[in-house]
Every structure is written in structure tokens, then in C-alpha cells.
Amino acid sequence: MQLFGEDVYMHQFKINGKLAFDGDVWQWHQDYGTWKNDDLMPEARAMNVAIFLDEVNEFNGPLMLIPGSHRRGVLDARARYVDDQLSLWTIDHDTIAKLVERGGIVAPKGAPGSMILFHSCLVHASTSNLSP
């Protein structure tokens, strides 16, 4: 509230568990794309707060971010379904390739309790956890 000068609220929360050897993969997306299309959030005035519950490293499926991609605003995305359930609004490969060419990819790492904050339009993904 001090940062924004107005009331804030938590829209949703979840724990992204990554099982050893084959934890979940999340395709390239913007969280706001889902919130806009599925939750009817009117504006991209939201941010993500991620708190690491375990150590995050390059082997256990870290979050990957495309720096600066949030400045492009809300990108076109298509609904992706898993087992007939809407899973995510994903961004096409050509768009991702252009964004990566401009901004690269970073994967924040850290100890349990580390925290990262990022805009809801920042394009991100994660690979599976291949570690034991």
C-alpha cells in the first residue's frame, strides 16, 4: 500500500511444486493474459510475488524470464488445454524468439526464502525438474 498509495489485494495464490525427475513444465506466457481472459481483470495493474520454498537452481526447473518483455504490453496468446481443462494462455514461438533476441532469458536462483517480484505482463516459463 505504501508503494502504490492505494489499497491492494491478493488476486490468487498457488504453490508450484516441481517433483523430482519430472516436475511440471509451464509454457511461455504472461500471467495477465490468463487473468484478462479467464478472470476478466480489466487492466494489467498486477504483479507476481514468488517466494522460494526450497533452493532454486539451474537443475530443478527454475522460472525463466524474458527481461523487458512486460514493456510490450499484453501480447496475443492462445488457450492451451490439458485433459480438456484450460491450462494457460500461451504465446507463439515466433513472438518468443523475437522477445528473446531483444532481451535474452534469465533464470533467478536463490536459497529458500528468497523472493522475486515481477510485472504480470513479463513473459515467463519454466522447465521440468530434472534433478533427483
Side-chain angles (χ1 to χ4, degrees):
M1 288 173 55
Q2 289 174 325
L3 181 64
F4 294 110
E6 61 187 358
D7 288 343
V8 297
Y9 72 96
M10 182 183 304
H11 179 62
Q12 63 178 226
F13 72 94
K14 63 185 168 195
I15 296 176
N16 284 341
K18 296 264 186 166
L19 295 174
F21 296 109
D22 57 12
D24 292 337
V25 170
W26 291 86
Q27 302 299 321
W28 289 107
H29 68 283
Q30 296 174 304
D31 285 343
Y32 180 68
T34 298
W35 298 337
K36 174 186 174 194
N37 290 303
D38 297 347
D39 302 336
L40 305 178
M41 185 181 282
E43 295 179 60
R45 293 188 50 190
M47 63 188 311
N48 288 290
V49 178
I51 301 171
F52 299 161
L53 300 179
D54 291 314
E55 179 182 353
V56 174
N57 59 47
E58 61 272 25
F59 308 111
N60 59 7
L63 186 65
M64 299 180 300
L65 312 169
I66 302 177
S69 58
H70 64 292
R71 293 188 185 105
R72 308 272 303 160
V74 181
L75 301 173
D76 287 334
R78 64 177 175 83
R80 181 173 184 266
Y81 293 86
V82 175
D83 297 328
D84 295 330
Q85 297 284 336
L86 180 62
S87 173
L88 204 55
W89 288 82
T90 59
I91 300 169
D92 70 82
H93 294 171
D94 289 339
T95 300
I96 294 301
K98 290 173 187 169
L99 291 170
V100 170
E101 187 176 311
R102 288 186 198 115
I105 300 174
V106 297
K109 299 169 187 76
S114 298
M115 180 175 74
I116 58 174
L117 299 113
F118 60 96
H119 194 281
S120 61
C121 285
L122 188 74
V123 177
H124 59 286
S126 66
T127 61
S128 62
N129 176 7
L130 298 177
S131 70

